[in-house]
Amino acid sequence: AGGGPLLPDSVLYEIFLYLDHVDVLSVGLVCQQWRAVARDEFLWKELFYRYYRVSREVPRHPAAVSWYDEFQRLYDTIPCVEVQALKEHNDQVLHLSFSHSGCLFASCSKDCTVKIWSNELEISLQHSSNMRPYNWSYTQFSQFNSDDSLLLVSGVFVGPHNSSSGEIAVISMENFTLLSRVRNKPYDVFGCWLNETNLISGNLHRIGRITSCSVLWLNNAFQGIESENVNVVKRLFKIQNLNASTIRTVMVADCSRYDSPDLLLDYEEQLAASSTSTCPVFDLGSDSEEEEAKPKQTPEPAVQELPDEGGVTAEDGLQQFFDDIMEGRVRPAMTDTELETKVAELFVRNRTKPPELNLLPTDSNSKTKYLIFTTGCLTYSPHQIGIKRILPHQMTTAGPVLGEERRSDEFFDSLDHVIDIHGHIIGMGLSPDHRYLYVNSRAWPRDCVISDPMQPPPIAEEIDLHVFDLKTMKEVKRALRAHRAYTPNEECFFIFLDVSRDFVASGAEDRHGYIWDRHYNICLAKLQHDNVVNSVAFSPVEQELLLTASDDTTIKVWRSPRTVRIQQAKQPRPRKLLFSWLMNQKS
């Protein structure tokens, strides 16, 4: 005990049988030697890697004291015990969001209500707002502002022959009154808070059959201001869309905590951080741009500006292109779709404001924020993540309504960074420290070619959960898998995920919610529903509490075995796992 060689496989096998079948009450009668062996680090390390099927290249969690504690953490603190089912909604429940204090949470549903719940030991309904009087079809997303005084609610607005139009409502948490409403197009932009009183919405302007322009607006939540000298809205960015793509699913990441994250996902970085007081800048990708372009993405990632062709101006290039068409020098003949895209690319080449240089933050106290959204360049299905830096002076509606002054040739804004997913993006979520972006996607076939933007490639049933480091703008870890989806491209819908300090959870179309460990990259639990699980949400102050929302119209409340055991302490029940007995012996 406490040292020596690893135990033989035969002994480990017997211990596994012992853990699974022996009655806890009889363990204390075995012998005193067993108690010594039971806390042997070599034993628990071996048990951990075998039981959870973790690669031996993965080190122990940096915050773990021992392998025994890690084994216990991954069993005893996962929110996998159903303790309550909320059935107040009468249609599909689409989204869940907690307040930052964890005292409240909101739910959105196809029944066109947004419900506010009180998160106590027994969760109860506090308020319900019906949005049908405002001509909404359903509510789809909600988000509390940073001080929990306001709730942003996004829904689908019923307009004449325009099912894609959306609207954002702001509700006061003091008396549940509706403060303002903002149009939002397309509806799956969702919207988000930039700060305590300003929110971001979208609008879409068609330029051609497959070419459009997305405009992102900054709106004041209090739009009843009487003074004519105070703006309540300001344009943030104006971005060109090609090949039927649009900007959707906006969210804001705060860069201020990038140098002090809750959990570093790179193992070498963890080792370096444990021996130094600060976290150095690190590179999780390849050393060359050629190698960086190889991974499972399309060979040429989307860019928002075309390279300069020998100093030829955009006007000259566009005129030359038209002359080539008229004189038959363009071979093979272009389709109408290809022609429209080529003209749009030539038009925008010198009419786009260049991207910000040095996107990666260097000041740990920086007030810079990133606007993150899904977009694309090849087809209408969202297959890229766009990132645009928001500077401090852009975080208020003060100033010109159309935003900062720009030259007449800077008609569009360029993206500062683009991440190509090579698949249909169906969900995104930020880690609590905003250092890592988690992305649900359904992959396209390898080496597929998109010839028609209105016919995207078929998508896989397996959902890949990618992880990107927003400090280095590189993918980290291997993609997580376990959950599945079955709808085709044209019917694909958003599946919301959530990230806590140690875990990441996601819904799925296979009637389950899933929980993974962020450090070990392993699936820890499947949470049963009777239909599609659309959304999951961890309590921001207690990661051992998780909510799941489903098409079966219910919200399920899940707590960890440890929490349930504490709540049932008046009637203790013996458990059949060794470490529970050990904890009792220790106490």
Side-chain angles (χ1 to χ4, degrees):
L6 294 177
L7 296 174
D9 287 348
S10 58
V11 175
L12 293 169
Y13 180 72
E14 292 297 323
I15 292 174
F16 271 116
L17 293 179
Y18 193 84
L19 286 171
D20 288 339
H21 300 297
V22 75
D23 189 279
V24 173
L25 294 178
S26 65
V27 172
L29 304 177
V30 177
C31 63
Q32 290 298 320
Q33 293 179 355
W34 172 252
R35 292 189 61 187
V37 173
R39 296 306 296 264
D40 187 292
E41 272 293 278
F42 291 98
L43 166 66
W44 284 104
K45 180 178 180 181
E46 194 73 16
L47 287 175
F48 185 92
Y49 282 119
R50 286 174 175 268
Y51 186 83
Y52 291 110
R53 299 180 180 179
V54 177
S55 169
R56 294 182 182 274
E57 297 177 356
V58 179
R60 195 174 68 194
H61 190 290
V65 176
S66 67
W67 285 106
Y68 167 81
D69 291 334
E70 272 300 87
F71 193 100
Q72 183 178 14
R73 178 181 75 85
L74 290 192
Y75 173 81
D76 222 18
T77 66
I78 308 301
C80 58
V81 180
E82 181 184 343
V83 296
Q84 195 174 355
L86 310 175
K87 301 181 179 181
E88 279 76 359
H89 283 291
N90 55 37
D91 207 337
Q92 302 170 4
V93 188
L94 302 180
H95 185 256
L96 299 164
S97 64
F98 267 100
S99 63
H100 294 82
S101 68
C103 297
L104 301 172
F105 69 87
S107 59
C108 295
S109 169
K110 281 287 185 75
D111 65 14
C112 207
T113 66
V114 54
K115 298 186 186 298
I116 314 298
W117 307 80
S118 178
N119 179 28
E120 299 173 349
L121 187 59
E122 189 75 13
I123 291 173
S124 59
L125 180 63
Q126 191 173 71
H127 177 78
S128 180
S129 292
N130 182 10
M131 301 303 292
R132 289 201 191 280
Y134 304 101
N135 213 29
W136 283 28
S137 176
Y138 57 88
T139 59
Q140 60 174 353
F141 175 83
S142 65
Q143 185 182 45
F144 289 85
N145 70 341
S146 58
D147 63 6
D148 295 334
S149 62
L150 303 173
L151 179 68
L152 177 156
V153 181
S154 174
V156 176
F157 181 83
V158 181
H161 310 292
N162 190 7
S163 60
S164 65
S165 183
E167 192 168 78
I168 296 172
V170 178
I171 297 175
S172 168
M173 288 292 97
E174 181 179 2
N175 51 17
F176 302 112
T177 56
L178 181 64
L179 298 179
S180 59
R181 292 158 59 199
V182 176
R183 287 296 175 91
N184 191 38
K185 183 178 181 181
Y187 65 85
D188 50 2
V189 169
F190 294 120
C192 65
W193 291 105
L194 177 60
N195 48 42
E196 291 86 350
T197 58
N198 293 291
L199 60 98
I200 296 173
S201 65
N203 201 357
L204 183 67
H205 303 281
R206 295 290 177 186
I207 299 175
R209 191 176 70 89
I210 59 170
T211 309
S212 64
C213 172
S214 288
V215 181
L216 297 172
W217 293 92
L218 185 63
N219 308 267
N220 194 303
F222 302 94
Q223 304 228 342
I225 299 174
E226 297 180 357
S227 172
E228 296 181 358
N229 298 320
V230 179
N231 289 336
V232 295
V233 63
K234 183 175 74 174
R235 188 179 73 193
L236 270 180
F237 304 116
K238 185 175 183 180
I239 298 169
Q240 185 197 45
N241 304 312
L242 299 176
N243 288 320
S245 65
T246 61
I247 286 178
R248 306 170 179 171
T249 319
V250 297
M251 60 177 58
V252 172
D254 187 343
C255 307
S256 60
R257 289 193 58 198
Y258 283 7
D259 285 333
S260 57
D262 296 327
L263 176 67
L264 287 168
L265 295 185
D266 179 75
Y267 303 135
E268 293 182 2
E269 175 71 358
Q270 288 177 8
L271 182 62
S274 65
S275 58
T276 59
S277 58
T278 59
C279 299
V281 177
F282 59 103
D283 186 355
L284 298 175
S286 59
D287 294 329
S288 66
E289 294 182 359
E290 291 77 15
E291 292 177 355
E292 192 173 322
K294 288 180 182 178
K296 60 186 188 295
Q297 322 294 349
T298 50
E300 291 292 332
V303 290
Q304 301 301 314
E305 53 184 346
L306 296 181
D308 187 14
E309 299 177 0
V312 179
T313 65
E315 290 77 9
D316 292 342
L318 192 59
Q319 184 60 52
Q320 182 64 51
F321 179 65
F322 285 138
D323 290 344
D324 290 342
I325 293 176
M326 297 302 294
E327 297 178 16
R329 291 195 294 266
V330 176
R331 292 288 185 270
M334 284 186 169
T335 64
D336 291 344
T337 297
E338 293 170 335
L339 180 61
E340 179 180 329
T341 300
K342 183 66 175 179
V343 171
E345 289 175 339
L346 288 170
F347 175 80
V348 78
R349 183 192 301 167
N350 286 343
R351 289 177 171 82
T352 300
K353 186 178 180 180
E356 297 286 344
L357 299 177
N358 188 25
L359 180 61
L360 305 183
T362 56
D363 182 3
S364 60
N365 296 317
S366 172
K367 295 182 180 180
T368 299
K369 296 183 178 182
Y370 292 156
L371 182 64
I372 301 172
F373 45 84
T374 63
T375 182
C377 66
L378 302 174
T379 180
Y380 69 82
S381 66
H383 55 278
Q384 292 178 321
I385 299 167
I387 299 177
K388 185 69 180 172
R389 176 184 288 180
I390 305 175
L391 300 175
H393 72 273
Q394 297 174 307
M395 298 182 191
T396 173
T397 55
V401 172
L402 296 182
E404 52 189 278
E405 297 295 331
R406 61 184 68 202
R407 303 197 309 266
S408 58
D409 58 346
E410 292 180 343
F411 191 73
F412 295 108
D413 293 288
S414 61
L415 303 187
D416 296 329
H417 193 79
V418 176
I419 300 172
D420 201 330
I421 299 298
H422 195 68
H424 192 132
I425 300 171
I426 60 170
M428 293 198 302
L430 289 165
S431 60
D433 53 25
H434 287 201
R435 171 72 179 261
Y436 298 98
L437 176 67
Y438 287 74
V439 181
N440 267 336
S441 74
R442 296 174 60 184
W444 290 338
R446 188 185 300 272
D447 301 325
C448 65
V449 177
I450 301 175
S451 56
D452 183 352
M454 305 310 295
Q455 294 183 352
I459 50 180
E461 288 188 354
E462 297 82 8
I463 301 175
D464 294 328
L465 184 50
H466 301 274
V467 190
F468 296 94
D469 186 339
L470 293 179
K471 183 174 182 178
T472 63
M473 295 297 168
K474 298 180 185 298
E475 185 169 6
V476 296
K477 302 273 190 180
R478 57 176 176 81
L480 300 172
R481 279 190 174 179
H483 48 332
R484 302 175 71 87
Y486 308 107
T487 51
N489 264 307
E490 62 275 10
E491 301 174 16
C492 208
F493 53 87
F494 217 70
I495 294 177
F496 294 94
L497 58 93
D498 197 24
V499 190
S500 71
R501 185 190 66 231
D502 295 312
F503 309 130
V504 54
S506 175
E509 292 185 40
D510 57 15
R511 303 184 179 186
H512 288 88
Y514 290 82
I515 303 175
W516 294 265
D517 184 82
R518 292 178 59 196
H519 174 76
Y520 296 108
N521 251 36
I522 54 174
C523 185
L524 296 171
K526 292 177 63 175
L527 311 176
Q528 179 76 49
H529 270 272
D530 294 331
N531 210 323
V532 172
V533 178
N534 296 304
S535 180
V536 297
F538 285 103
S539 166
V541 297
E542 182 189 2
Q543 67 174 356
E544 294 180 43
L545 169 61
L546 178 72
L547 306 175
T548 56
S550 171
D551 279 359
D552 63 17
T553 76
T554 67
I555 301 169
K556 288 190 176 183
V557 184
W558 308 83
R559 293 188 183 274
S560 68
R562 186 186 72 89
T563 303
V564 172
R565 192 167 61 251
I566 292 173
Q567 293 176 354
Q568 297 175 345
K570 292 183 179 180
Q571 296 179 350
R573 299 172 60 186
R575 299 182 57 84
K576 294 186 178 181
L577 282 178
L578 176 62
F579 64 78
S580 297
W581 171 79
L582 289 171
M583 293 301 292
N584 292 333
Q585 293 294 314
K586 182 179 179 181
S587 62

